[in-house]
Structure formats: structure tokens, C-alpha cells
Amino acid sequence: MAVTTDSRTSRGVTGPVLVGGAFLLSTGVNLLFKVGELLFTDGDPHRPQGPIDSIVSISVVGVAGLALALAIALPLRADPGRARIGAVVLGALAVVTAPFFWSGAPAAFGAAAAWTAGLSKGEKPLTGVARGFGIVGFVVAVLILIAVFVGALAGVFTGG
């Protein structure tokens, strides 16, 4: 009698929730803070790097990052060999785009790397380098979320 085991992740959230949540908690929340700045402060909204410029840049870069992350993750995650490549590429993109943390794009890349590496609920985790990049992507996503919230709250309390 042969016994097979399938070590799928049973805790956590599903991949789409992970990626969508990272996007909403980074890009979405940052946009809400900028809209709040626009509505509830008397600063010039048209100043350079003011709320209007910020809303446009956050929206464009954040949505482009999410679209690219999904364009890479969705076709590659079904095949473990290709998923390994996707996890490495997405994890690397999460690290490389970290300076653009304000957009939320690195969080989307990082969450997609974790999903592609099988680190979300119901997925079979990959091993080796792909798993490492998935973990790095997840860590980058969490750090980006922290940076967005701290930056937004600092802006609220310091008036800028």
C-alpha cells in the first residue's frame, strides 16, 4: 500500500486575497490618505508633489505594478517549473522596485512572488531558490505596507 502526502499550505490566505490585499493596503490606503489631504487641508493641491500629483502617480504606478505582477504570476503558477521562474522574477522585482514604495507596486510584486512560490493557502510550497524569493517577496510586501502606513500617518501628524 502506497501512501502519498500532499503538503499544501493550510494556514494563511489564498493567493488572490494576498495579492489583492497587498495592493489595497498599500496603493489603496495611500490614495485614501492623499484624497483626505486634498479634502481636509488648506494646502495648495496643485503644488509640485502635492495631493493631485501624488494621486496620479500612485494610481498609474500602482495599477501598472499590479497588472505586471498578475501578468507574470497567472500564466506561470500552474506549472511548478515555470512557477519557480515566476517566483524569482517577481521576488526580484519586489526588491528592485522598493524605492517606489509609495506606489504599492513592490507590495504587489512581493505578494505575487509569495503566491507563485506556493506560500499561500491551498498551494503546494516550492523549494529552494524559488521559495527563498517567495519569502523575500512576502517580507518586502509587509515592509512596504508598514512604510506606507507610517509615511501616511507621519504626513497627517506633521502637516505635510
Side-chain angles (χ1 to χ4, degrees):
M1 181 169 131
V3 176
T4 59
T5 59
D6 189 5
S7 60
R8 296 196 180 267
T9 305
S10 61
R11 291 190 281 176
V13 296
T14 62
V17 171
L18 180 65
V19 176
F23 176 76
L24 288 176
L25 288 173
S26 58
T27 304
V29 166
N30 210 0
L31 284 172
L32 286 176
F33 272 101
K34 294 302 176 185
V35 168
E37 180 183 346
L38 182 67
L39 296 175
F40 300 115
T41 64
D42 353 345
D44 178 15
H46 299 285
R47 69 184 183 276
Q49 297 181 3
I52 293 177
D53 284 351
S54 295
I55 289 170
V56 171
S57 63
I58 291 167
S59 299
V60 169
V61 178
V63 170
L66 176 66
L68 182 59
L70 291 175
I72 294 169
L74 287 174
L76 298 181
R77 59 177 282 289
D79 174 36
R82 294 175 67 198
R84 291 183 182 288
I85 295 167
V88 170
V89 168
L90 289 164
L93 282 171
V95 172
V96 170
T97 60
F100 303 101
F101 70 92
W102 46 265
S103 70
F109 288 131
W115 180 31
T116 306
L119 303 178
S120 58
K121 185 175 187 174
E123 303 288 332
K124 186 173 182 184
L126 299 177
T127 59
V129 173
R131 183 182 184 118
F133 271 94
I135 292 169
V136 166
F138 183 79
V139 169
V140 167
V142 169
L143 292 176
I144 295 302
L145 295 177
I146 292 169
V148 165
F149 275 91
V150 168
L153 290 175
V156 167
F157 291 120
T158 61

